[in-house]
Amino acid sequence: MAKTDEAASSDAALGYEQARDELIDVVRRLEAGGTTLEESLALWERGEELAKVCRRWLEGARARLDAALAEPPEEG
C-alpha cells in the first residue's frame, strides 16, 4: 500500500507525544482483537508508520544531546 504525500506530511507534522499516544492506541486495539484481517493489517501498517515517527524524534533528540555534550563549556 503506497503512502500518499499528504499522509507523509501529516505524519511529519506529528509531535513525539502525539505519535506515541496514537501508537499506544493502535497496539491496544490490535491486542484487544475483534477486528477483521483487513482492519488489523491497516492498524499494523499505521503502527509501523507511527513507530518511524517516534524513532525519528528520538534520533533527533539524541543528536541534539550529543551535539550539546560535544560543545566546550562556556566560560563565564
Side-chain angles (χ1 to χ4, degrees):
M1 195 180 276
K3 190 160 182 77
T4 64
D5 289 338
E6 184 177 317
S9 64
S10 173
D11 283 351
L14 281 177
Y16 173 78
E17 289 81 6
Q18 292 170 306
R20 181 203 59 212
D21 291 346
E22 188 179 342
L23 179 57
I24 289 169
D25 184 55
V26 165
V27 170
R28 283 187 185 139
R29 290 172 62 191
L30 284 169
E31 287 178 340
T35 57
T36 66
L37 177 59
E38 191 64 33
E39 290 168 335
S40 295
L41 287 172
L43 284 169
W44 180 271
E45 290 171 345
R46 181 64 181 153
E48 289 290 327
E49 292 301 319
L50 292 165
K52 288 178 189 176
V53 171
C54 290
R55 192 175 311 112
R56 281 193 299 269
W57 273 104
L58 293 172
E59 288 170 354
R62 169 55 66 191
R64 289 175 61 188
L65 284 171
D66 289 345
L69 292 172
E71 289 180 9
E74 291 184 23
E75 294 185 27

